[in-house]
Amino acid sequence: MASRQRLAVLVALIMAVAACTESAAPPQPTAPPDAFAPTPTIGPSTTTRPAPTTTLDVDRVVLQRVDPVSLKLMTAFEPIPMGDALWGSFASPDGRYLVATVDAHGSGVPEMRLVDLQSWMPVASWPESGDFMFHINQQGSVFYVTYGATAEFRFAATDSTESTLIASLPANYGVWGAESVTEARFLLYGTRPGEPGSGRQEQGFVATIQLDEAGPVLAEIPMPGVVIGQVDPVSQGPWAGYLYTSPSFTWDPVGARLLVVHGDDDVISEVDIETGEVIEHPVAGTFDLQSGTRRLSALNPDGRLLYVASRSVELIEDDDDWMVITRPAGVQAIDTTTWQIVARTDEPISNIWVSPSGALLGSGYTTDESESVSVQESTGLYLLDGSNLSVRVHYPPETPEQWWGPVTFTDSGSIAYASTWVQTPRVNAIEMATGEFLSTAEGTETLEMIGPVGVLASTR
């Protein structure tokens, strides 16, 4: 009963906010402060919230303010304890709040913790795992997906130590991503079991959740053409598990549309979130898709260009042995109005990160695998021009096993923070205009730079 009452209050609050937003004249946009803006002052919180539910004095992982260029610690800010491990960190669009799931004191029990970065204080915690956190509103309340018997879409408010169930998702939904379309409408996408009789174990799904006075309404947009999983026909050999196709999903907030790059075909599905209409756009490709292709995509800041990175799969077999080889297949830039390829690079890149300034960082790795061989080799890190995908700088790997990612950026995109591992974890601050390595931070276990808010999470 309490959960239903809280959900009713949530829906009423969101409807009131939406109504006020629609009726009022749109305010002038104000950009969040960049990492180079003056350091926020330390002061008491201006709101009253319940104290966090845990003791924070024995945690090994901490949040620390750092200089955005040198990555040196700002000693005026005391470290904020964040458990013995941290993952899934997510910052609010205005840069005020940061939430993450932590391992509470090495107990293996997950806990969500919320920090007010303006007052530099922990302000709330909830004894559960935020497996996929994707939105924080102006009050610091968190919207997220968590997995139990089924996936659940939940809401955690700062005035309570318990979260509220918004909607239980259909069985076996695997959520790859989620977006806040409006304060009352949300988008989810990922995988689910294939339709009976389709011959597929998995397929893609796109769904919306609308909050209104009658409660949440979940509506799925059919995506029968999005293939996920082993290629067809399924090989019966020991290599079968290596031969699969994986699409990518990219949200376009400017156009209120979801762009789905198919893995088994050179097609992009454009999904109108308002109408549910799906339009398929053929885009010419240049490599074989028969053994499986894995995609990764991202938009430039104005939504005009969709960057698609691919990984190709090749099967080599004879009477005595077999080998599955994956290779980075480069990056294409696709105009999202004409659906023509306007730029491409065949450099060995399969992962990309787009900065708010429009430049790209990319990385890749190759694999050779058989029953007796497993070899992986990095191709390094690349700085690409966003307009023509030309390589401005290539950073060769220090060792064959040096992987890159995640990568975050300052709010303006002038500096990238690229994580890597060479014997120990590192974060490199890279000037995007020149490609210069400005500084490097090293750690032991946890080391993550949350670039837009200038905060470093590390094991002390």
Side-chain angles (χ1 to χ4, degrees):
M1 180 63 70
S3 178
R4 290 182 180 178
Q5 290 175 341
R6 287 185 54 78
L7 182 56
V9 171
L10 165 65
V11 171
L13 176 62
I14 288 177
M15 294 299 293
V17 170
C20 292
T21 303
E22 291 172 0
S23 61
Q28 292 298 315
T30 55
D34 186 42
F36 296 100
T39 301
T41 57
I42 307 174
S45 174
T46 57
T47 57
T48 302
R49 301 183 178 93
T53 58
T54 57
T55 303
L56 302 178
D57 57 353
V58 297
D59 296 2
R60 298 170 59 239
V61 175
V62 294
L63 295 181
Q64 294 174 289
R65 282 274 184 203
V66 296
D67 180 88
V69 177
S70 68
L71 297 179
K72 292 181 185 266
L73 304 181
M74 294 182 176
T75 56
F77 293 82
E78 290 292 328
I80 296 178
M82 294 292 282
D84 274 15
L86 173 148
W87 62 96
S89 59
F90 184 82
S92 61
D94 62 1
R96 175 169 182 175
Y97 294 104
L98 176 71
V99 65
T101 298
V102 306
D103 176 0
H105 316 308
S107 63
V109 177
E111 180 177 283
M112 291 170 52
R113 291 188 186 171
L114 180 73
V115 175
D116 185 332
L117 299 177
Q118 179 174 305
S119 62
W120 197 246
M121 293 178 60
V123 292
S125 65
W126 303 274
E128 55 189 289
S129 175
D131 295 311
F132 192 93
M133 294 174 282
F134 63 91
H135 180 58
I136 306 177
N137 64 18
Q138 294 180 349
Q139 291 75 41
S141 300
V142 183
F143 294 81
Y144 62 101
V145 174
T146 189
Y147 293 97
T150 61
E152 295 180 342
F153 177 33
R154 304 189 73 90
F155 164 81
T158 54
D159 61 355
S160 175
T161 58
E162 295 183 359
S163 65
T164 299
L165 174 66
I166 295 177
S168 293
L169 305 181
N172 300 320
Y173 262 36
V175 178
W176 287 15
E179 305 288 344
S180 173
V181 180
T182 69
E183 284 295 324
R185 194 170 198 184
F186 303 89
L187 170 69
L188 305 169
Y189 50 86
T191 67
R192 68 172 181 82
E195 295 286 353
S198 67
R200 299 176 187 166
Q201 292 183 338
E202 289 183 282
Q203 68 182 58
F205 84 85
V206 176
T208 60
I209 295 179
Q210 179 73 41
L211 303 184
D212 57 31
E213 294 176 347
V217 177
L218 186 144
E220 183 171 336
I221 300 173
M223 300 290 295
V226 179
V227 176
I228 297 171
Q230 291 185 357
V231 298
D232 185 25
V234 176
S235 170
Q236 298 303 311
W239 51 82
Y242 295 92
L243 308 180
Y244 66 90
T245 181
S246 178
S248 66
F249 301 80
T250 301
W251 170 240
D252 176 11
V254 176
R257 58 183 177 169
L258 183 70
L259 304 179
V260 185
V261 183
H262 295 215
D264 68 326
D265 202 356
D266 290 314
V267 171
I268 298 174
S269 289
E270 180 184 14
V271 185
D272 187 314
I273 300 304
E274 293 298 323
T275 66
E277 180 184 15
V278 179
I279 303 175
E280 293 190 348
H281 302 282
V283 178
T286 59
F287 51 89
D288 186 11
L289 300 169
Q290 299 303 310
S291 296
T293 302
R294 298 91 188 258
R295 309 282 199 184
L296 193 149
S297 57
L299 278 168
N300 74 335
D302 64 10
R304 185 179 62 86
L305 293 178
L306 178 70
Y307 302 108
V308 179
S310 300
R311 170 174 294 281
S312 63
V313 183
E314 180 184 2
L315 170 64
I316 300 174
E317 58 179 324
D318 56 34
D319 294 337
D320 300 320
D321 203 359
W322 58 272
M323 177 76 72
V324 173
I325 302 172
T326 68
R327 294 285 184 267
V331 185
Q332 299 172 335
I334 300 167
D335 189 301
T336 59
T337 57
T338 66
W339 305 102
Q340 300 296 310
I341 297 174
V342 297
R344 66 174 302 131
T345 177
D346 293 325
E347 295 289 344
I349 298 169
S350 53
N351 298 317
I352 50 175
W353 300 271
V354 181
S355 79
S357 64
L360 285 78
L361 284 176
S363 70
Y365 65 94
T366 64
T367 66
D368 298 331
E369 298 182 81
S370 71
E371 288 182 322
S372 57
V373 175
S374 178
V375 178
Q376 300 184 0
E377 185 171 355
S378 170
T379 62
L381 185 69
Y382 295 79
L383 175 61
L384 303 177
D385 187 296
S387 62
N388 58 22
L389 295 182
S390 61
V391 177
R392 292 164 52 190
V393 183
H394 175 220
Y395 313 89
E398 297 180 42
T399 68
E401 300 81 19
Q402 185 183 11
W403 316 124
W404 291 90
V407 174
T408 62
F409 301 91
T410 57
D411 186 65
S412 70
S414 59
I415 295 179
Y417 302 103
S419 297
T420 187
W421 182 285
V422 180
Q423 298 180 335
T424 61
R426 297 180 186 173
V427 171
N428 300 281
I430 304 173
E431 187 174 50
M432 294 296 284
T434 64
E436 178 186 357
F437 274 53
L438 301 173
S439 57
T440 299
E442 293 194 29
T444 55
E445 297 176 29
T446 297
L447 187 68
E448 176 186 350
M449 181 66 182
I450 302 103
V453 293
V455 171
L456 182 72
S458 62
T459 302
R460 57 182 172 183

